[in-house]
Amino acid sequence: TKRSLIFNELNKELYKKFFLTVEELQAIREGYIYIHDMSARRDTMNCCLFDVKSVLTGGFEMGNLWYNEPKTLDTAFDVIGDIVLSAASQQYGGFTVPSVDEILEPYAKRSHENHLNKYRSLGLSEEVAQEIAWKDLEGNAYSELKEDTYSLQKLVDYPFITMTSGTDISEYGKLVTKTMLEVRAGGQGKPGHKKPVLFPKIVFLY
């Protein structure tokens, strides 16, 4: 703790010395402006809109492991969780995954097609296959989003994580947004003792 306090004060003074003008320093001294997190602005990123979609597309390498691009919704949720926890731990401040509905839309579509093909192969009518496949997709989305939310709460020192959603108006994009809100509204814990969930924060775009 002592080392951290000293390190922060040193970084704050270095930031003032090399990055601020005389006018800005005077304004700080007189209380006209306040610069947030000066101790962490000199040599790291502070808050980030992370382009998860680009990372997922075509696969990527992380921690000496190769990750193939997900083929289904449940795999996509798991991989995004790994990306968020790794990337967020390497920067300071808030971490935002923008447009989660747009990121997950193609994977939701593939999962739906897989469910449909399974029920068609069983000889079910198209109408029944569509109905059951969509219910399976809704169940997948709910359980995976709930699991991801829980995994963020288990971290002792989790970063301030935000996810945005609402701009993808395809049936799959809307399913993701609706499910995010349902998971959040449900709270966390056993029935009768649900508590509000802190993270990820949800920003609804319209």
Side-chain angles (χ1 to χ4, degrees):
T1 303
K2 186 175 181 180
R3 178 198 175 281
S4 182
L5 291 170
I6 293 169
F7 182 78
N8 286 348
E9 285 303 313
L10 171 64
N11 266 341
K12 191 183 288 187
E13 291 306 313
L14 291 172
Y15 181 78
K16 286 179 182 177
K17 183 174 182 179
F18 294 110
F19 290 90
L20 298 181
T21 65
V22 173
E23 290 80 7
E24 287 166 341
L25 289 168
Q26 188 64 29
I28 289 171
R29 278 194 287 271
E30 294 176 5
Y32 289 107
I33 63 172
Y34 171 75
I35 299 178
H36 182 58
D37 290 337
M38 276 194 284
S39 61
R41 288 186 176 276
R42 192 176 62 86
D43 55 5
T44 184
M45 289 182 290
N46 184 294
C47 299
C48 171
L49 280 169
F50 193 85
D51 189 359
V52 173
K53 190 171 186 177
S54 292
V55 175
L56 286 175
T57 304
F60 61 97
E61 190 173 354
M62 180 171 70
N64 296 320
L65 287 175
W66 178 258
Y67 287 71
N68 290 320
E69 182 175 356
K71 291 184 172 60
T72 59
L73 188 62
D74 51 350
T75 310
F77 275 120
D78 292 340
V79 175
I80 288 171
D82 289 348
I83 293 170
V84 168
L85 295 179
S86 177
S89 67
Q90 296 179 55
Q91 60 120 64
Y92 185 86
F95 186 89
T96 298
V97 181
S99 302
V100 173
D101 48 346
E102 293 179 20
I103 294 168
L104 292 173
E105 187 269 342
Y107 308 115
K109 187 175 181 181
R110 284 181 211 165
S111 287
H112 187 217
E113 287 167 357
N114 290 344
H115 292 316
L116 269 175
N117 291 334
K118 179 177 77 174
Y119 293 119
R120 283 169 180 158
S121 70
L122 295 173
L124 298 176
S125 69
E126 185 62 21
E127 185 181 348
V128 173
Q130 288 281 358
E131 185 182 341
I132 301 174
W134 187 258
K135 282 183 180 173
D136 280 0
L137 184 65
E138 287 179 324
N140 285 156
Y142 190 87
S143 61
E144 289 297 331
L145 264 170
K146 197 168 186 179
E147 192 177 310
D148 272 14
T149 301
Y150 281 9
S151 69
L152 291 176
Q153 307 311 306
K154 286 187 286 187
L155 294 173
V156 176
D157 188 22
Y158 50 75
F160 194 109
I161 294 174
T162 302
M163 293 185 175
T164 75
S165 194
T167 52
D168 190 317
I169 57 171
S170 70
E171 59 180 342
Y172 302 108
K174 287 194 284 190
L175 172 67
V176 171
T177 300
K178 178 178 168 231
T179 307
M180 282 178 71
L181 296 173
E182 284 174 347
V183 168
R184 178 51 48 86
Q188 182 184 3
K190 60 184 179 180
H193 301 277
K194 299 279 187 181
K195 293 180 180 177
V197 174
L198 289 174
F199 293 101
K201 297 297 182 192
I202 295 175
V203 176
F204 181 75
L205 305 174
Y206 66 96

